[in-house]
Amino acid sequence: MGIFSKWFSMDKSNVPEKETKNDSSINNHNEAILRFLNQIFENEEYDPLLPEAIQEIVCYQLGSTSLIQRSFAIGFNQAEKLMEQMEKVGIVGEARGDQPREILVNG
């Protein structure tokens, strides 16, 4: 089990729709992720989309840069940087060429 397992143990059928992201449980969930990211990155900056990108990758169990690009309407370079940051915190494995990265936490 990865370090994010306690946050991502929900059944995929219970994943909230994007319209309900203001729900207090989701906000608490995001705050916990932000606290953890601040500890990992210390004085380094990370992309502000990182918490949402982590949720997207874990929810779909697909470590794909193109999924991040489509989900957030961003360019390849920013999506790849997000993938590298997710690798740093143990969400996804190493890059495997044009294959999706391995997801290291359960959704």
Side-chain angles (χ1 to χ4, degrees):
M1 285 234 234
I3 52 179
F4 281 97
S5 298
K6 65 182 176 183
W7 291 313
F8 296 109
S9 60
M10 68 178 115
D11 184 302
K12 286 182 189 159
S13 63
N14 295 329
V15 173
E17 295 295 322
K18 290 196 180 210
E19 297 86 43
T20 63
K21 281 197 173 182
N22 291 331
D23 181 69
S24 64
S25 65
I26 294 173
N27 288 335
N28 291 339
H29 180 86
N30 287 342
E31 288 174 17
I33 292 172
L34 289 173
R35 281 192 304 273
F36 178 78
L37 292 175
N38 287 330
Q39 289 174 354
I40 294 292
F41 285 91
E42 294 178 6
N43 296 326
E44 296 176 55
E45 287 191 30
Y46 57 86
D47 192 298
L49 288 175
L50 185 57
E52 290 181 72
I54 289 171
Q55 290 180 343
E56 194 81 0
I57 290 294
V58 172
C59 174
Y60 286 102
Q61 288 291 293
L62 180 65
S64 165
T65 303
S66 62
L67 172 65
I68 297 298
Q69 283 181 270
R70 288 189 307 272
S71 296
F72 299 103
I74 59 175
F76 176 83
N77 289 339
Q78 185 179 3
E80 182 58 29
K81 182 178 177 184
L82 282 163
M83 293 299 288
E84 290 169 1
Q85 290 176 349
M86 283 188 268
E87 180 181 351
K88 179 176 182 171
V89 297
I91 301 296
V92 298
E94 295 179 356
R96 303 183 299 182
D98 63 351
Q99 298 297 313
R101 294 178 186 233
E102 178 183 7
I103 306 300
L104 304 176
V105 296
N106 294 326

